[in-house]
């Protein structure tokens, strides 16, 4: 009961802190998700556009007002909120009216951009579906904020549950929950976009792996399969990445077991590895097949979106060579920036050390889940995309690995002997 109270206290404290910024977190992609949620709730296309534009432009106006209030030159000037909101509404309505007049009234997303670009969001119903009841009951502003708070708070709780599932002491698991909130995971999960759900579902899959590792194979496999299925509706490429990475972790564990790397009973290890590996490999195979059957945008369409600035320029005749050149240059620049501020690489190294040192088997699954963030960033090598949100899943490695480094300080020696082989 005391542990549950601390978990709820941490989640509630995080939620209360988010009242400091109810507005001002929107991004251009937020418009598509909010519009999708409104149409799922029964709104017409123009009504959906109106609610979305009011929310988006109100958030931009609040951000402009905050920035000016601390501008050393302009802080004495009148608030720009009304002007920014009006200009934003006028610009967005101009685009929407033009496209609605041209017949762009189909689908679930108001026509803020080209049809090809909107199609990318049309195939991501998971997050808008979750937003729909909140928006219907609390309105757009408070509904989006409340949904974001619950998603972000749930991610921290899942981090706690993952660590407890691998028999980490309660203080260690609470440390993982707190790290989730204070590291970029918490801030990114609060943005009204898909990243919060990606983080939570990845943690749910890792929780399933941990349960299977501890003998609850059926529950664990169901949880892994459910998380991968839900992830398909949120962002199907991420479901593919996680399926491939978890299958890879199962392969590594199996190979190490065959070579005598682990000294445990043979059959329990092999059974849970086979079960999790089968579900993960199934997701890796079925995700692209189902996306093809549903006529989802192909990888070449994603490349064109990247290289043509969201289809505002002509398509590239040979996108793959250009993409690979951009990929190389991106990681060179990314690495240079990390060397000047090496907190992230240091956290990854320390998290890897903690995960593999304290949980040599489960640590590979933690690394696999975090590596999907690297793959997601590699698929979008754009250094300007809203900070580090694309790679944010990689922060799960320090969230889960760093607390395990504390285990030798907080856990008795006898407990360490029991869990050291896990």
């Amino acid at each position: 009961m005391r542990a549950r109270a601390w978990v709820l206290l941490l989640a509630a404290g995080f939620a209360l802190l988010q009242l400091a910024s109810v507005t001002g977190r929107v991004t251009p992609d937020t418009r598509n998700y909010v519009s999708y949620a409104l149409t799922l709730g029964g709104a017409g296309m123009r009504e959906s556009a109106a609610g979305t534009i009011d929310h988006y432009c109100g958030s931009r106006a609040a951000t402009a007002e905050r920035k000016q209030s601390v501008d050393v030159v302009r802080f004495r000037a009148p608030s720009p909120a009304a002007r920014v909101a009006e200009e934003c509404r006028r610009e967005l309505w101009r685009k929407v009216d033009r496209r609605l007049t041209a017949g762009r009234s189909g689908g679930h997303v108001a026509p803020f951009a080209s049809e090809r670009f909107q199609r990318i969001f049309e195939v991501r119903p998971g997050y808008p579906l979750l937003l729909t009841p909140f928006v219907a009951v609390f309105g757009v502003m408070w509904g989006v904020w409340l949904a974001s708070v619950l998603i972000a708070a749930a991610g921290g709780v899942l981090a706690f549950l993952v660590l407890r599932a691998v028999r980490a002491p309660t203080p260690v698991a609470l440390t993982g929950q707190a790290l989730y909130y204070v590291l970029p995971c918490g801030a990114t999960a609060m943005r009204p976009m898909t990243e919060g759900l990606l983080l939570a579902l990845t943690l749910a899959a890792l929780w399933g792996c941990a349960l299977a590792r501890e003998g609850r194979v059926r529950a664990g496999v169901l949880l892994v399969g459910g998380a991968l299925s839900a992830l398909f509706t949120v962002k199907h490429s991420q479901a593919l990445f996680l399926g491939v990475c978890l299958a890879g972790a199962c392969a590594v564990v199996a190979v190490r077991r065959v070579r005598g790397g682990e000294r445990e009973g043979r059959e329990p290890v092999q059974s849970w590895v086979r079960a999790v590996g089968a579900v993960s490999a199934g997701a890796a195979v079925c995700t692209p097949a189902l996306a093809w059957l549903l006529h989802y945008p192909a990888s070449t369409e994603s490349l064109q979106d990247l290289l043509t600035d969201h289809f505002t320029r002509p398509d590239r005749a040979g996108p793959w060579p250009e993409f690979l050149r951009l990929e190389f240059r991106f990681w060179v620049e990314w690495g240079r920036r990390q060397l000047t501020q090496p907190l992230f690489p240091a956290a990854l190294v320390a998290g890897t050390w903690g995960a593999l040192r304290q949980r040599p088997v489960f640590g590979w699954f933690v690394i696999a889940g975090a590596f999907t963030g690297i793959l997601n960033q590699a698929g979008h090598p754009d250094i300007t995309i809203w900070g580090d949100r694309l790679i944010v899943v990689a922060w799960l490695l320090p969230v889960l690995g760093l607390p395990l480094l504390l285990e030798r300080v907080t856990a008795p020696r006898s407990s360490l002997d029991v869990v050291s082989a896990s």
Side-chain angles (χ1 to χ4, degrees):
M1 292 299 296
R2 182 177 296 179
R4 293 177 184 176
W6 276 108
V7 169
L8 293 176
L9 182 62
L10 282 175
F14 172 79
L16 288 174
L17 292 176
Q18 305 315 306
L19 286 169
S21 184
V22 177
T23 60
R25 301 180 194 261
V26 299
T27 71
D29 289 354
T30 301
R31 298 175 306 199
N32 302 303
Y33 295 120
V34 172
S35 176
Y36 203 148
L38 288 170
T39 56
L40 288 176
M45 192 59 69
R46 181 167 288 278
E47 183 183 357
S48 167
T52 302
I53 290 173
D54 286 344
H55 174 252
Y56 178 77
C57 294
S59 183
R60 288 194 59 184
T63 300
E65 185 174 40
R66 292 170 191 167
K67 288 182 177 180
Q68 180 169 303
S69 69
V70 292
D71 189 298
V72 295
V73 175
R74 298 182 299 143
F75 71 93
R76 298 182 184 87
S79 170
R83 174 181 55 81
V84 170
E86 178 60 29
E87 292 176 355
C88 174
R89 290 189 180 96
R90 184 167 58 250
E91 176 64 18
L92 288 179
W93 272 118
R94 182 182 63 81
K95 295 178 180 179
V96 170
D97 283 336
R98 185 180 72 246
R99 293 187 175 109
L100 288 177
T101 303
R104 282 276 308 281
S105 58
H108 296 90
V109 180
F112 297 109
S114 69
E115 192 169 3
R116 291 174 69 186
F117 184 62
Q118 300 289 156
R119 176 62 179 162
I120 295 174
F121 295 91
E122 291 280 357
V123 300
R124 299 177 183 176
Y127 178 58
L129 191 61
L130 187 146
L131 281 182
T132 298
F134 292 95
V135 170
V137 174
F138 299 101
V140 177
M141 183 183 75
W142 285 103
V144 170
W145 179 85
L146 183 57
S148 300
V149 165
L150 293 178
I151 291 169
V157 174
L158 284 166
F160 172 87
L161 292 173
V162 170
L163 290 168
R164 287 297 291 151
V166 294
R167 292 179 287 173
T170 298
V172 171
L174 288 171
T175 301
Q177 181 184 1
L179 283 175
Y180 183 91
Y181 294 146
V182 302
L183 291 177
C185 298
T188 305
M190 278 300 302
R191 291 176 181 170
M193 301 178 70
T194 58
E195 277 70 31
L197 268 183
L198 297 182
L199 286 162
L201 291 172
T202 302
L203 283 167
L206 292 178
W207 185 23
C209 295
L211 292 176
R213 172 67 184 81
E214 295 300 317
R216 300 173 61 183
V217 178
R218 182 175 181 180
V221 168
L222 287 175
L223 192 53
V224 172
L228 288 168
S229 300
L231 202 53
F232 180 88
T233 69
V234 177
K235 191 176 181 182
H236 67 278
S237 61
Q238 198 70 14
L240 173 62
F241 295 155
L242 186 57
V244 169
C245 289
L246 290 181
C250 290
V252 170
V253 170
V255 169
R256 294 184 74 233
R257 182 68 188 96
V258 169
R259 293 182 177 179
E262 306 299 331
R263 303 300 182 186
E264 314 166 358
R266 183 178 182 85
E267 188 58 32
V269 174
Q270 292 297 323
S271 63
W272 76 268
V273 171
R274 286 198 301 268
V276 173
V279 172
S280 303
V285 173
C286 292
T287 294
L290 184 58
W292 179 77
L293 288 173
L294 295 174
H295 304 290
Y296 280 10
S299 58
T300 53
E301 192 74 351
S302 180
L303 287 187
Q304 295 291 357
D305 171 49
L306 174 72
L307 297 174
T308 62
D309 192 20
H310 306 311
F311 306 110
T312 59
R313 301 179 181 183
D315 281 8
R316 296 290 197 269
W320 281 106
E322 288 190 46
F323 173 77
L324 294 176
R325 285 199 298 272
L326 178 61
E327 188 82 48
F328 174 77
R329 294 181 181 182
F330 170 85
W331 288 111
V332 170
E333 174 62 15
W334 185 89
R336 186 193 65 79
R337 296 188 183 190
Q338 298 305 312
L339 291 176
T340 60
Q341 295 181 329
L343 173 61
F344 184 40
L348 290 180
V349 171
T352 302
W353 182 34
L356 292 180
R357 178 184 177 90
Q358 298 300 108
R359 300 295 187 277
V361 173
F362 184 69
W364 289 106
F365 291 89
V366 177
I367 293 170
F371 190 68
T372 62
I374 306 294
L375 292 177
N376 190 34
Q377 181 68 80
H380 304 80
D382 186 347
I383 208 76
T384 66
I385 295 183
W386 292 97
D388 295 329
R389 72 172 178 87
L390 293 176
I391 206 171
V392 70
V393 181
W395 279 100
L396 293 182
L397 188 50
V399 164
L400 299 176
L402 286 178
L404 293 174
L405 288 177
L406 303 175
E407 198 169 30
R408 292 188 174 273
V409 178
T410 60
R413 176 64 57 182
S414 58
S415 299
L416 292 176
D417 294 337
V418 173
V419 302
S420 60
S422 300

